[in-house]
Amino acid sequence: MNKCENMEMNKCENIFEQVQKQTPYRTPEGFFDTEEQELKRAIRRRASKRLWLRYAAAAAILLFAAVYPLMHLMHSSHANEVPLYVQTDNTQGEWTDFAEADIFLENMDW
Amino acid sequence: MRLFSLHTKTTEELIERYQQPLYWHIRRMVVTHEDAQDVLQNTFIQIHLHLSELRDEDHERAWVYRIATNEALLWLRDKRELVSLEDEDASALLKNLSADPYTDNSDRLVVLMQEAILRLPTMQRTVFNLRYYDELPYEEIASITGSSVSAAKTNYHYAKERISNYVTSKIPQ
C-alpha cells in the first residue's frame, strides 16, 4: 500500500493509513478524571432518590393496610345502631324510619 | 439496602471501564464536546436503570455500546441532526465540527476524513466508527446496531469507499 508523503503533491491512495485513526476531537484538560467522579455522584444521587421513593411507597402501603381494617370495623359497628328517626307532626305519632329511603310508619295515628 | 449498594457499585465499575471508549464513540457521532458529555451522562443513567437486563460479561461491551449508540441517535434526532449531509438540516454537524472549541482543525486530512464520515448515512457512519476506531468484531457491531454480520460488513465496505472518494476529491492535484 502506498503512503502519502506529501498530501499537496499526491493524491492519497490510502488515507486510512495516513490518518492512523486520528480525529480532530479534543477534551478539556483533566476532563475524564472529573467526569468519572461526576458520573458516580449522579448515579449515587439517583440510586438514593429511588431508594427513598421505594421506602415512601412501602410506608404508604403499610399504613393503608393498617388503617383500612380499622375503618371497616368502625363502619360495621354503626350497622346495629338505631336508625335516624324524625318526629311526625302528630304528637302521638311514631317516629319515622328513614333507613334506605324507605319510610315505615308504625302505629301512626291517622 | 445491600442490594441497592451492589447495583450502584456495578454501575461504578462500568463507568471506570467504559467511560473513555464510550465518550469517544459518542463524540464521533454528536461531534461537540458539550453534547458528548450530556449524552455520556444519559448513557450511564440508562445503564444504571437497566442493569438487571445485562445478561453476562460476554455481552457487556455490546450492551453498553448499544445503549450509548441509542442515546446518541436519540440526541441527534431531537436536535434534528439525524440525517445524512445530503439534507440541508444535517449541515449542522459540519458546522459543529468547525465551531466546537474542543476540535483541532489544524490537520486538514484528519478534518477531511471526519467530514467524509459525517456525510455518511447514519448506519454506515455508526458501523464505520465501531469497526475502524473501536475495532469491534462484526458480530458485536451487528448486535449493537440491530443488524446482521453481513449487513455490517457491507456497510463498512461502502463507508470506506465513500470516505476515500470524498477525501481524494478534496485533495488538490
Side-chain angles (χ1 to χ4, degrees):
Chain A
M1 290 183 182
N2 298 323
K3 286 192 179 181
C4 296
E5 292 180 357
N6 187 338
M7 197 185 75
E8 298 300 321
M9 297 295 291
N10 302 308
K11 275 201 174 179
C12 187
E13 290 186 344
N14 194 332
I15 58 158
F16 302 102
E17 275 197 6
Q18 182 79 359
V19 169
Q20 293 182 350
K21 305 194 181 194
Q22 294 176 77
T23 71
Y25 305 122
R26 306 289 180 263
T27 59
E29 196 173 329
F31 165 70
F32 286 115
D33 290 332
T34 52
E35 184 65 11
E36 184 178 317
Q37 298 310 315
E38 181 52 40
L39 284 169
K40 287 177 178 176
R41 267 195 295 271
I43 296 301
R44 282 185 217 131
R45 269 197 306 269
R46 188 166 270 266
S48 175
K49 187 177 171 186
R50 287 183 83 196
L51 192 61
W52 281 112
L53 281 172
R54 289 186 184 187
Y55 281 156
I61 292 168
L62 284 173
L63 188 65
F64 180 77
V67 169
Y68 180 76
L70 289 173
M71 288 171 58
H72 186 69
L73 197 62
M74 284 173 63
H75 177 73
S76 301
S77 69
H78 286 287
N80 296 326
E81 284 181 358
V82 176
L84 184 67
Y85 285 92
V86 292
Q87 191 175 7
T88 62
D89 55 357
N90 189 330
T91 56
Q92 293 184 354
E94 298 293 334
W95 292 100
T96 305
D97 182 357
F98 280 108
E100 297 186 358
D102 290 329
I103 300 174
F104 294 95
L105 301 175
E106 296 178 358
N107 301 323
M108 277 297 287
D109 184 3
W110 293 103
Chain B
M1 187 66 177
R2 188 167 172 276
L3 184 62
F4 295 123
S5 297
L6 187 64
H7 206 76
T8 306
K9 186 169 183 289
T10 307
T11 307
E12 292 186 1
E13 287 169 0
L14 291 174
I15 290 171
E16 290 164 10
R17 211 174 298 153
Y18 292 105
Q19 187 209 173
Q20 290 199 37
L22 286 186
Y23 169 85
W24 290 116
H25 170 58
I26 291 165
R27 180 77 186 269
R28 286 189 285 268
M29 293 183 72
V30 304
V31 178
T32 66
H33 166 69
E34 196 177 313
D35 287 349
Q37 190 177 9
D38 288 341
V39 175
L40 186 69
Q41 290 190 1
N42 293 345
T43 296
F44 277 107
I45 287 172
Q46 291 302 315
I47 285 172
H48 180 69
L49 290 175
H50 295 98
L51 201 54
S52 56
E53 295 170 20
L54 177 56
R55 285 177 289 168
D56 50 58
E57 284 185 13
D58 291 340
H59 298 91
E60 181 183 274
R61 184 167 64 180
W63 186 76
V64 299
Y65 265 89
R66 182 163 61 244
I67 293 174
T69 303
N70 288 339
E71 286 299 313
L73 293 176
L74 277 171
W75 184 270
L76 290 172
R77 186 195 65 187
D78 289 347
K79 297 187 93 173
R80 293 179 174 273
E81 290 167 354
L82 184 62
V83 289
S84 75
L85 291 182
E86 292 165 5
D87 190 319
E88 287 181 4
D89 289 338
S91 63
L93 282 176
L94 262 186
K95 285 182 193 167
N96 289 343
L97 184 63
S98 57
D100 182 45
Y102 295 106
T103 300
D104 179 5
N105 292 305
S106 59
D107 191 326
R108 180 161 157 72
L109 186 59
V110 169
V111 172
L112 275 177
M113 179 136 166
Q114 285 308 305
E115 284 181 13
I117 293 169
L118 292 174
R119 287 177 172 276
L120 295 172
T122 307
M123 181 61 86
Q124 280 185 15
R125 183 163 79 233
T126 306
V127 169
F128 178 81
N129 285 338
L130 289 170
R131 180 69 179 170
Y132 181 70
Y133 291 107
D134 295 295
E135 298 179 349
L136 297 187
Y138 284 114
E139 291 73 20
E140 278 191 44
I141 294 173
S143 172
I144 291 164
T145 57
S147 64
S148 64
V149 170
S150 58
K153 287 180 179 175
T154 304
N155 274 315
Y156 183 66
H157 168 74
Y158 283 125
K160 278 192 80 172
E161 207 171 87
R162 288 175 73 150
I163 292 167
S164 190
N165 290 342
Y166 177 84
V167 173
T168 51
S169 72
K170 294 290 183 181
I171 297 172
Q173 296 272 343

Tab-separated table of all heavy atoms in Angstrom, chain A residues 56-100:
chain	number	residue	atom	x	y	z
A	56	ALA	N	-40.946	5.263	50.736
A	56	ALA	CA	-42.184	6.029	50.890
A	56	ALA	C	-43.377	5.217	50.394
A	56	ALA	O	-44.432	5.191	51.036
A	56	ALA	CB	-42.068	7.350	50.134
A	57	ALA	N	-43.201	4.555	49.253
A	57	ALA	CA	-44.292	3.750	48.699
A	57	ALA	C	-44.624	2.587	49.644
A	57	ALA	O	-45.795	2.287	49.899
A	57	ALA	CB	-43.900	3.220	47.320
A	58	ALA	N	-43.596	1.951	50.178
A	58	ALA	CA	-43.811	0.829	51.101
A	58	ALA	C	-44.517	1.298	52.365
A	58	ALA	O	-45.439	0.642	52.859
A	58	ALA	CB	-42.466	0.192	51.447
A	59	ALA	N	-44.121	2.464	52.867
A	59	ALA	CA	-44.744	3.013	54.072
A	59	ALA	C	-46.216	3.326	53.820
A	59	ALA	O	-47.083	3.058	54.660
A	59	ALA	CB	-44.002	4.266	54.537
A	60	ALA	N	-46.511	3.868	52.648
A	60	ALA	CA	-47.897	4.205	52.313
A	60	ALA	C	-48.752	2.938	52.246
A	60	ALA	O	-49.887	2.906	52.742
A	60	ALA	CB	-47.935	4.954	50.976
A	61	ILE	N	-48.189	1.894	51.670
A	61	ILE	CA	-48.937	0.640	51.567
A	61	ILE	C	-49.189	0.044	52.946
A	61	ILE	O	-50.289	-0.422	53.249
A	61	ILE	CB	-48.182	-0.365	50.669
A	61	ILE	CG1	-48.196	0.136	49.219
A	61	ILE	CG2	-48.768	-1.760	50.774
A	61	ILE	CD1	-47.252	-0.599	48.306
A	62	LEU	N	-48.161	0.077	53.789
A	62	LEU	CA	-48.295	-0.466	55.149
A	62	LEU	C	-49.335	0.327	55.937
A	62	LEU	O	-50.151	-0.249	56.673
A	62	LEU	CB	-46.952	-0.419	55.866
A	62	LEU	CG	-45.951	-1.494	55.448
A	62	LEU	CD1	-44.593	-1.230	56.096
A	62	LEU	CD2	-46.463	-2.880	55.852
A	63	LEU	N	-49.303	1.639	55.792
A	63	LEU	CA	-50.248	2.499	56.503
A	63	LEU	C	-51.672	2.192	56.067
A	63	LEU	O	-52.583	2.053	56.899
A	63	LEU	CB	-49.903	3.972	56.218
A	63	LEU	CG	-50.652	5.019	57.024
A	63	LEU	CD1	-50.277	4.901	58.504
A	63	LEU	CD2	-50.318	6.430	56.520
A	64	PHE	N	-51.849	2.052	54.781
A	64	PHE	CA	-53.179	1.733	54.251
A	64	PHE	C	-53.637	0.376	54.771
A	64	PHE	O	-54.788	0.199	55.168
A	64	PHE	CB	-53.155	1.750	52.725
A	64	PHE	CG	-54.490	1.424	52.109
A	64	PHE	CD1	-55.496	2.369	52.063
A	64	PHE	CD2	-54.731	0.155	51.592
A	64	PHE	CE1	-56.728	2.069	51.506
A	64	PHE	CE2	-55.958	-0.149	51.033
A	64	PHE	CZ	-56.968	0.809	50.991
A	65	ALA	N	-52.726	-0.574	54.763
A	65	ALA	CA	-53.060	-1.929	55.215
A	65	ALA	C	-53.434	-1.937	56.692
A	65	ALA	O	-54.265	-2.734	57.138
A	65	ALA	CB	-51.878	-2.862	54.966
A	66	ALA	N	-52.844	-1.025	57.472
A	66	ALA	CA	-53.125	-0.964	58.909
A	66	ALA	C	-54.426	-0.220	59.166
A	66	ALA	O	-55.208	-0.596	60.037
A	66	ALA	CB	-51.972	-0.278	59.632
A	67	VAL	N	-54.685	0.845	58.425
A	67	VAL	CA	-55.840	1.718	58.705
A	67	VAL	C	-57.125	1.158	58.113
A	67	VAL	O	-58.201	1.279	58.708
A	67	VAL	CB	-55.547	3.139	58.150
A	67	VAL	CG1	-56.801	3.996	58.176
A	67	VAL	CG2	-54.442	3.784	58.965
A	68	TYR	N	-57.031	0.530	56.960
A	68	TYR	CA	-58.250	0.086	56.273
A	68	TYR	C	-59.117	-0.846	57.127
A	68	TYR	O	-60.327	-0.644	57.214
A	68	TYR	CB	-57.890	-0.573	54.931
A	68	TYR	CG	-59.097	-1.045	54.164
A	68	TYR	CD1	-59.919	-0.122	53.485
A	68	TYR	CD2	-59.447	-2.399	54.130
A	68	TYR	CE1	-61.037	-0.550	52.801
A	68	TYR	CE2	-60.577	-2.810	53.445
A	68	TYR	CZ	-61.369	-1.891	52.778
A	68	TYR	OH	-62.486	-2.310	52.110
A	69	PRO	N	-58.552	-1.859	57.784
A	69	PRO	CA	-59.395	-2.728	58.610
A	69	PRO	C	-60.089	-1.964	59.733
A	69	PRO	O	-61.240	-2.249	60.070
A	69	PRO	CB	-58.413	-3.753	59.182
A	69	PRO	CG	-57.268	-3.735	58.250
A	69	PRO	CD	-57.180	-2.338	57.744
A	70	LEU	N	-59.381	-0.980	60.311
A	70	LEU	CA	-59.970	-0.184	61.382
A	70	LEU	C	-61.156	0.618	60.844
A	70	LEU	O	-62.205	0.704	61.497
A	70	LEU	CB	-58.932	0.776	61.962
A	70	LEU	CG	-57.814	0.118	62.787
A	70	LEU	CD1	-56.755	1.156	63.153
A	70	LEU	CD2	-58.379	-0.513	64.056
A	71	MET	N	-60.970	1.214	59.653
A	71	MET	CA	-62.056	1.981	59.052
A	71	MET	C	-63.252	1.076	58.792
A	71	MET	O	-64.398	1.452	59.018
A	71	MET	CB	-61.586	2.629	57.740
A	71	MET	CG	-60.636	3.786	57.948
A	71	MET	SD	-59.894	4.346	56.397
A	71	MET	CE	-61.326	4.759	55.438
A	72	HIS	N	-62.961	-0.106	58.315
A	72	HIS	CA	-64.029	-1.052	58.005
A	72	HIS	C	-64.757	-1.463	59.274
A	72	HIS	O	-65.982	-1.589	59.301
A	72	HIS	CB	-63.423	-2.270	57.308
A	72	HIS	CG	-64.461	-3.243	56.823
A	72	HIS	ND1	-65.326	-2.956	55.786
A	72	HIS	CD2	-64.781	-4.474	57.241
A	72	HIS	CE1	-66.129	-3.988	55.596
A	72	HIS	NE2	-65.826	-4.930	56.466
A	73	LEU	N	-63.968	-1.643	60.332
A	73	LEU	CA	-64.544	-2.041	61.618
A	73	LEU	C	-65.472	-0.950	62.152
A	73	LEU	O	-66.579	-1.220	62.632
A	73	LEU	CB	-63.409	-2.293	62.618
A	73	LEU	CG	-63.760	-3.098	63.867
A	73	LEU	CD1	-64.221	-4.493	63.502
A	73	LEU	CD2	-62.554	-3.191	64.805
A	74	MET	N	-65.011	0.283	62.064
A	74	MET	CA	-65.822	1.414	62.557
A	74	MET	C	-67.110	1.523	61.766
A	74	MET	O	-68.169	1.785	62.323
A	74	MET	CB	-65.017	2.708	62.440
A	74	MET	CG	-63.950	2.846	63.504
A	74	MET	SD	-62.886	4.283	63.217
A	74	MET	CE	-64.040	5.614	63.364
A	75	HIS	N	-67.043	1.302	60.487
A	75	HIS	CA	-68.251	1.408	59.657
A	75	HIS	C	-69.235	0.310	60.014
A	75	HIS	O	-70.442	0.523	60.130
A	75	HIS	CB	-67.859	1.317	58.175
A	75	HIS	CG	-69.035	1.351	57.254
A	75	HIS	ND1	-69.755	2.505	57.015
A	75	HIS	CD2	-69.647	0.382	56.548
A	75	HIS	CE1	-70.739	2.239	56.174
A	75	HIS	NE2	-70.701	0.954	55.871
A	76	SER	N	-68.717	-0.892	60.257
A	76	SER	CA	-69.575	-2.031	60.581
A	76	SER	C	-70.265	-1.841	61.922
A	76	SER	O	-71.402	-2.258	62.126
A	76	SER	CB	-68.744	-3.319	60.651
A	76	SER	OG	-68.122	-3.525	59.411
A	77	SER	N	-69.627	-1.182	62.877
A	77	SER	CA	-70.206	-1.034	64.220
A	77	SER	C	-71.436	-0.147	64.204
A	77	SER	O	-72.262	-0.192	65.096
A	77	SER	CB	-69.155	-0.463	65.170
A	77	SER	OG	-68.890	0.884	64.821
A	78	HIS	N	-71.626	0.674	63.196
A	78	HIS	CA	-72.808	1.538	63.109
A	78	HIS	C	-74.037	0.781	62.626
A	78	HIS	O	-75.149	1.281	62.688
A	78	HIS	CB	-72.531	2.697	62.144
A	78	HIS	CG	-71.613	3.724	62.728
A	78	HIS	ND1	-72.005	4.605	63.715
A	78	HIS	CD2	-70.307	3.990	62.491
A	78	HIS	CE1	-70.981	5.379	64.051
A	78	HIS	NE2	-69.934	5.027	63.330
A	79	ALA	N	-73.835	-0.421	62.105
A	79	ALA	CA	-74.948	-1.145	61.490
A	79	ALA	C	-76.031	-1.490	62.513
A	79	ALA	O	-77.214	-1.598	62.182
A	79	ALA	CB	-74.423	-2.417	60.842
A	80	ASN	N	-75.653	-1.678	63.772
A	80	ASN	CA	-76.648	-2.075	64.791
A	80	ASN	C	-77.244	-0.906	65.538
A	80	ASN	O	-78.040	-1.084	66.448
A	80	ASN	CB	-75.980	-3.038	65.793
A	80	ASN	CG	-75.565	-4.324	65.099
A	80	ASN	OD1	-76.238	-4.774	64.176
A	80	ASN	ND2	-74.442	-4.896	65.522
A	81	GLU	N	-76.845	0.287	65.137
A	81	GLU	CA	-77.408	1.428	65.845
A	81	GLU	C	-78.844	1.660	65.411
A	81	GLU	O	-79.262	1.247	64.335
A	81	GLU	CB	-76.602	2.697	65.547
A	81	GLU	CG	-75.284	2.749	66.289
A	81	GLU	CD	-74.537	4.041	65.976
A	81	GLU	OE1	-75.034	4.849	65.173
A	81	GLU	OE2	-73.445	4.211	66.534
A	82	VAL	N	-79.603	2.344	66.283
A	82	VAL	CA	-80.999	2.685	65.974
A	82	VAL	C	-81.015	3.672	64.827
A	82	VAL	O	-80.288	4.648	64.850
A	82	VAL	CB	-81.672	3.319	67.213
A	82	VAL	CG1	-83.082	3.770	66.871
A	82	VAL	CG2	-81.651	2.329	68.364
A	83	PRO	N	-81.798	3.410	63.807
A	83	PRO	CA	-81.811	4.325	62.671
A	83	PRO	C	-82.324	5.692	63.069
A	83	PRO	O	-82.968	5.864	64.104
A	83	PRO	CB	-82.788	3.681	61.680
A	83	PRO	CG	-83.197	2.385	62.248
A	83	PRO	CD	-82.677	2.262	63.640
A	84	LEU	N	-82.040	6.630	62.209
A	84	LEU	CA	-82.429	8.004	62.500
A	84	LEU	C	-83.941	8.143	62.371
A	84	LEU	O	-84.539	7.735	61.385
A	84	LEU	CB	-81.724	8.920	61.508
A	84	LEU	CG	-81.940	10.405	61.705
A	84	LEU	CD1	-81.306	10.871	62.993
A	84	LEU	CD2	-81.362	11.180	60.532
A	85	TYR	N	-84.528	8.698	63.317
A	85	TYR	CA	-85.962	8.919	63.280
A	85	TYR	C	-86.256	10.397	63.339
A	85	TYR	O	-85.518	11.173	63.924
A	85	TYR	CB	-86.640	8.250	64.483
A	85	TYR	CG	-86.743	6.749	64.362
A	85	TYR	CD1	-85.717	5.933	64.883
A	85	TYR	CD2	-87.825	6.137	63.721
A	85	TYR	CE1	-85.790	4.561	64.772
A	85	TYR	CE2	-87.908	4.755	63.604
A	85	TYR	CZ	-86.868	3.985	64.139
A	85	TYR	OH	-86.955	2.628	64.019
A	86	VAL	N	-87.335	10.739	62.727
A	86	VAL	CA	-87.807	12.122	62.888
A	86	VAL	C	-89.254	12.063	63.393
A	86	VAL	O	-90.006	11.144	63.098
A	86	VAL	CB	-87.772	12.905	61.569
A	86	VAL	CG1	-86.344	13.116	61.138
A	86	VAL	CG2	-88.549	12.196	60.497
A	87	GLN	N	-89.526	13.046	64.154
A	87	GLN	CA	-90.855	13.044	64.753
A	87	GLN	C	-91.878	13.582	63.764
A	87	GLN	O	-91.640	14.542	63.059
A	87	GLN	CB	-90.830	13.923	66.015
A	87	GLN	CG	-92.075	13.797	66.871
A	87	GLN	CD	-91.920	14.580	68.142
A	87	GLN	OE1	-90.959	15.308	68.317
A	87	GLN	NE2	-92.871	14.416	69.066
A	88	THR	N	-92.980	12.922	63.687
A	88	THR	CA	-94.053	13.412	62.828
A	88	THR	C	-94.731	14.580	63.516
A	88	THR	O	-94.482	14.887	64.691
A	88	THR	CB	-95.094	12.306	62.567
A	88	THR	OG1	-95.662	11.935	63.815
A	88	THR	CG2	-94.419	11.105	61.935
A	89	ASP	N	-95.617	15.242	62.754
A	89	ASP	CA	-96.285	16.394	63.370
A	89	ASP	C	-97.400	15.935	64.311
A	89	ASP	O	-97.987	16.716	65.051
A	89	ASP	CB	-96.847	17.328	62.284
A	89	ASP	CG	-97.757	16.588	61.339
A	89	ASP	OD1	-97.874	15.350	61.514
A	89	ASP	OD2	-98.319	17.196	60.449
A	90	ASN	N	-97.726	14.669	64.243
A	90	ASN	CA	-98.736	14.118	65.147
A	90	ASN	C	-98.076	13.839	66.494
A	90	ASN	O	-97.138	13.067	66.587
A	90	ASN	CB	-99.306	12.815	64.558
A	90	ASN	CG	-100.495	12.336	65.343
A	90	ASN	OD1	-100.605	12.567	66.552
A	90	ASN	ND2	-101.402	11.662	64.671
A	91	THR	N	-98.587	14.477	67.488
A	91	THR	CA	-97.942	14.341	68.798
A	91	THR	C	-97.966	12.918	69.300
A	91	THR	O	-97.146	12.529	70.117
A	91	THR	CB	-98.633	15.247	69.858
A	91	THR	OG1	-100.010	14.915	69.885
A	91	THR	CG2	-98.420	16.691	69.490
A	92	GLN	N	-98.926	12.182	68.764
A	92	GLN	CA	-98.939	10.800	69.192
A	92	GLN	C	-98.322	9.886	68.134
A	92	GLN	O	-98.422	8.682	68.215
A	92	GLN	CB	-100.398	10.356	69.453
A	92	GLN	CG	-101.023	11.081	70.656
A	92	GLN	CD	-102.408	10.550	70.954
A	92	GLN	OE1	-102.953	9.717	70.204
A	92	GLN	NE2	-103.016	11.029	72.040
A	93	GLY	N	-97.800	10.508	67.117
A	93	GLY	CA	-97.259	9.695	66.042
A	93	GLY	C	-95.952	9.032	66.434
A	93	GLY	O	-95.319	9.376	67.425
A	94	GLU	N	-95.697	8.038	65.675
A	94	GLU	CA	-94.473	7.304	65.924
A	94	GLU	C	-93.336	7.961	65.162
A	94	GLU	O	-93.523	8.711	64.214
A	94	GLU	CB	-94.648	5.858	65.478
A	94	GLU	CG	-95.731	5.090	66.218
A	94	GLU	CD	-95.344	4.891	67.660
A	94	GLU	OE1	-94.130	4.875	67.947
A	94	GLU	OE2	-96.250	4.773	68.501
A	95	TRP	N	-92.174	7.582	65.525
A	95	TRP	CA	-91.003	8.065	64.788
A	95	TRP	C	-90.987	7.424	63.409
A	95	TRP	O	-91.357	6.284	63.235
A	95	TRP	CB	-89.731	7.685	65.529
A	95	TRP	CG	-89.582	8.434	66.826
A	95	TRP	CD1	-89.858	7.977	68.072
A	95	TRP	CD2	-89.141	9.774	66.974
A	95	TRP	NE1	-89.610	8.934	69.013
A	95	TRP	CE2	-89.157	10.061	68.364
A	95	TRP	CE3	-88.724	10.775	66.097
A	95	TRP	CZ2	-88.776	11.307	68.884
A	95	TRP	CZ3	-88.347	12.003	66.624
A	95	TRP	CH2	-88.372	12.251	67.997
A	96	THR	N	-90.544	8.194	62.438
A	96	THR	CA	-90.454	7.700	61.064
A	96	THR	C	-89.037	7.178	60.786
A	96	THR	O	-88.055	7.866	61.062
A	96	THR	CB	-90.771	8.830	60.064
A	96	THR	OG1	-92.034	9.389	60.383
A	96	THR	CG2	-90.769	8.313	58.648
A	97	ASP	N	-88.983	5.967	60.265
A	97	ASP	CA	-87.687	5.327	59.989
A	97	ASP	C	-87.212	5.673	58.572
A	97	ASP	O	-87.845	5.353	57.568
A	97	ASP	CB	-87.841	3.815	60.112
A	97	ASP	CG	-86.537	3.090	59.895
A	97	ASP	OD1	-85.511	3.762	59.595
A	97	ASP	OD2	-86.536	1.866	60.017
A	98	PHE	N	-86.023	6.325	58.423
A	98	PHE	CA	-85.532	6.732	57.102
A	98	PHE	C	-84.538	5.729	56.497
A	98	PHE	O	-83.890	6.015	55.516
A	98	PHE	CB	-84.821	8.087	57.197
A	98	PHE	CG	-85.788	9.231	57.235
A	98	PHE	CD1	-85.989	9.943	58.412
A	98	PHE	CD2	-86.522	9.582	56.109
A	98	PHE	CE1	-86.900	11.003	58.456
A	98	PHE	CE2	-87.426	10.635	56.157
A	98	PHE	CZ	-87.618	11.355	57.337
A	99	ALA	N	-84.440	4.588	57.129
A	99	ALA	CA	-83.444	3.628	56.667
A	99	ALA	C	-83.671	3.267	55.203
A	99	ALA	O	-84.795	2.923	54.820
A	99	ALA	CB	-83.502	2.372	57.526
A	100	GLU	N	-82.580	3.370	54.384
A	100	GLU	CA	-82.570	3.010	52.961
A	100	GLU	C	-83.716	3.636	52.194
A	100	GLU	O	-84.349	3.002	51.347
A	100	GLU	CB	-82.624	1.495	52.805
A	100	GLU	CG	-81.400	0.842	53.393
A	100	GLU	CD	-81.369	-0.642	53.125
A	100	GLU	OE1	-82.320	-1.146	52.512
A	100	GLU	OE2	-80.396	-1.273	53.528
